[in-house]
Amino acid sequence: MTTNNLPIIPSRTFADWKQMLHGFWPSKATFTEKDYPEFKDKVIIVTGGNTGVGYETVKSLAGSTKAKIYIFSRNKEKTLKAIEQIELEVAKEYKIKPIPIGFIQTDLGDLTSIKPAVNEFLSKESRLDLIILNAGVMMPPPGSKTKQGYELQLGTNVLGHFLLQRLLDPIFIKTSFNNPPGVSRIVWVASTAHQLAPLGGIFWEDKNFDKVPYNSNTKMQLYGQSKAADILLAKAWPRFNPDAKNVISTSLCPGYLQTELTRHSSAFELFLGKLLTWPRRNGAYTELYAAFSPNIKNGDYSISFGEPSHVRKDLNSIEAGDKLWDWCVKETNPYV
């Protein structure tokens, strides 16, 4: 829906404002490494696990579980260095030698790279128990596009992850049949910025915002759109996979964190961010709360640093989720 060809942004409720403010003054994490399952002989994928909150999530998993972990990321050299550093830090902090961390190279901003990555993973593993869709792009320079011409955040944060999950679904669902209910999970990393997304999550009249004047507001709306889409997909996944009754699909905002996501921010935004954001380690607690807490149910949304919360009311719409799902299927069909 539009007003003079501009997206409509719904007004925030008191509860929405409370959630936004919570990010500045979150409660201390209570669900931490002491509460994580052993996860012995299980397999985990973390996208973007070579940097930021993904790095901390992988480190916490490597230090506190016995799972086999794979990082899916774009930069081979950077990721191999990160894995080496994670293993050193795990040995120091957790006093153990972690199970070797695997690496699969893929670029979520290039849909042609995803199927080869999944095929490589399938050549190495016969099961998959947990997927943390953590990688993301935040407010890149205006006009940034993926290899296939989508707005970079929509193409990477949404379509890239959708295709990856779509291709992993067969092994993931097969594994879930042999797991107790709730062990197999998909964790879609979204953001409180979803509250700034267009009505219904997506500005369907102009998904790339090609005709929308670019300013500080639309910059946030574009990012919010991609994160609202992740929430819609998290809620839609169980509807489109009704046989996967043991699986939980959930989304979250990891928190307002000091990570490389802010690399495209202005000098003032970076200065303000240092005053108002938290160490990235805290964000891992949010992600792993969603991944492991027995209190999580299908479609739940969590906030920093491991608390249940809500999503903007219009993002609970089945119609909105189904429309996005159908579009994602259509756009990724050529790459399956």
Side-chain angles (χ1 to χ4, degrees):
M1 297 181 66
T2 62
T3 301
N4 297 325
N5 297 317
L6 297 176
I8 294 175
I9 311 300
S11 299
R12 287 183 281 285
T13 65
F14 175 79
D16 292 338
W17 280 109
K18 184 178 178 181
Q19 182 186 104
M20 294 186 76
L21 292 173
H22 171 91
F24 297 116
W25 298 281
S27 303
K28 184 178 179 181
T30 57
F31 189 86
T32 61
E33 285 91 345
K34 69 184 187 307
D35 303 297
Y36 302 160
E38 186 179 55
F39 241 50
K40 183 176 172 59
D41 299 324
K42 291 181 168 47
V43 179
I44 302 172
I45 287 174
V46 180
T47 66
N50 61 330
T51 187
V53 65
Y55 179 103
E56 297 294 340
T57 298
V58 170
K59 185 171 78 171
S60 186
L61 286 167
S64 58
T65 76
K66 295 182 179 179
K68 181 67 179 293
I69 305 163
Y70 284 87
I71 295 175
F72 276 54
S73 59
R74 181 180 59 184
N75 190 312
K76 181 176 181 179
E77 181 182 3
K78 184 176 181 178
T79 305
L80 293 179
K81 287 182 179 178
I83 289 173
E84 182 180 358
Q85 186 62 30
I86 288 171
E87 292 175 346
L88 288 173
E89 291 179 15
V90 166
K92 181 178 179 181
E93 294 180 29
Y94 295 87
K95 312 300 181 187
I96 64 168
K97 182 177 181 180
I99 296 171
I101 298 167
F103 164 63
I104 304 289
Q105 187 169 21
T106 191
D107 180 358
L108 293 171
D110 180 2
L111 298 178
T112 65
S113 77
I114 297 176
K115 186 172 184 177
V118 171
N119 287 339
E120 181 182 352
F121 172 78
L122 295 176
S123 73
K124 298 174 183 292
E125 298 294 341
S126 59
R127 67 179 299 132
L128 176 58
D129 301 87
L130 171 63
I131 306 165
I132 302 179
L133 301 173
N134 163 84
V137 180
M138 176 178 168
M139 294 183 286
S144 297
K145 300 289 179 70
T146 67
K147 294 286 187 181
Q148 283 73 42
Y150 302 99
E151 190 277 321
L152 188 61
Q153 295 162 112
L154 181 65
T156 302
N157 302 351
V158 184
L159 279 176
H161 272 145
F162 180 88
L163 177 58
L164 177 64
Q165 183 61 48
R166 183 180 180 183
L167 293 170
L168 289 170
D169 274 345
I171 186 175
F172 176 65
I173 294 172
K174 181 180 178 181
T175 303
S176 75
F177 292 148
N178 296 315
N179 279 336
V183 170
S184 294
R185 299 190 189 189
I186 313 166
V187 177
W188 307 74
V189 178
S191 171
T192 298
H194 77 266
Q195 295 185 18
L196 304 174
L199 181 64
I202 302 293
F203 185 36
W204 289 108
E205 291 84 346
D206 184 8
K207 296 179 293 296
N208 289 334
F209 280 48
D210 288 329
K211 299 177 182 178
V212 178
Y214 190 86
N215 54 43
S216 59
N217 288 329
T218 53
K219 179 169 72 170
M220 286 301 299
Q221 290 164 14
L222 270 170
Y223 179 63
Q225 173 177 256
S226 74
K227 292 305 178 178
D230 288 333
I231 290 170
L232 289 169
L233 293 176
K235 290 179 175 292
W237 193 94
R239 295 198 299 273
F240 286 89
N241 295 278
D243 294 334
K245 299 184 184 303
N246 288 347
V247 173
I248 288 175
S249 176
T250 185
S251 60
L252 61 93
C253 172
Y256 304 166
L257 306 169
Q258 298 160 8
T259 74
E260 290 186 11
L261 267 181
T262 58
R263 61 186 174 275
H264 299 300
S265 301
S266 67
F268 176 73
E269 288 169 337
L270 289 171
F271 170 75
L272 196 62
K274 287 183 179 180
L275 299 177
L276 300 175
T277 56
W278 295 81
R280 64 188 193 182
R281 177 72 171 262
N282 294 282
Y285 290 133
T286 318
E287 294 194 5
L288 294 176
Y289 168 81
F292 292 140
S293 172
N295 298 324
I296 295 292
K297 302 183 295 298
N298 253 331
D300 280 356
Y301 180 74
S302 306
I303 57 175
S304 54
F305 293 118
E307 290 190 21
S309 192
H310 69 283
V311 301
R312 201 177 67 192
K313 187 176 180 179
D314 57 302
L315 300 183
N316 289 312
S317 164
I318 292 176
E319 180 182 1
D322 289 357
K323 183 175 182 178
L324 174 62
W325 188 278
D326 291 342
W327 179 76
C328 287
V329 168
K330 179 184 175 183
E331 297 301 306
T332 58
N333 273 341
Y335 308 97
V336 172

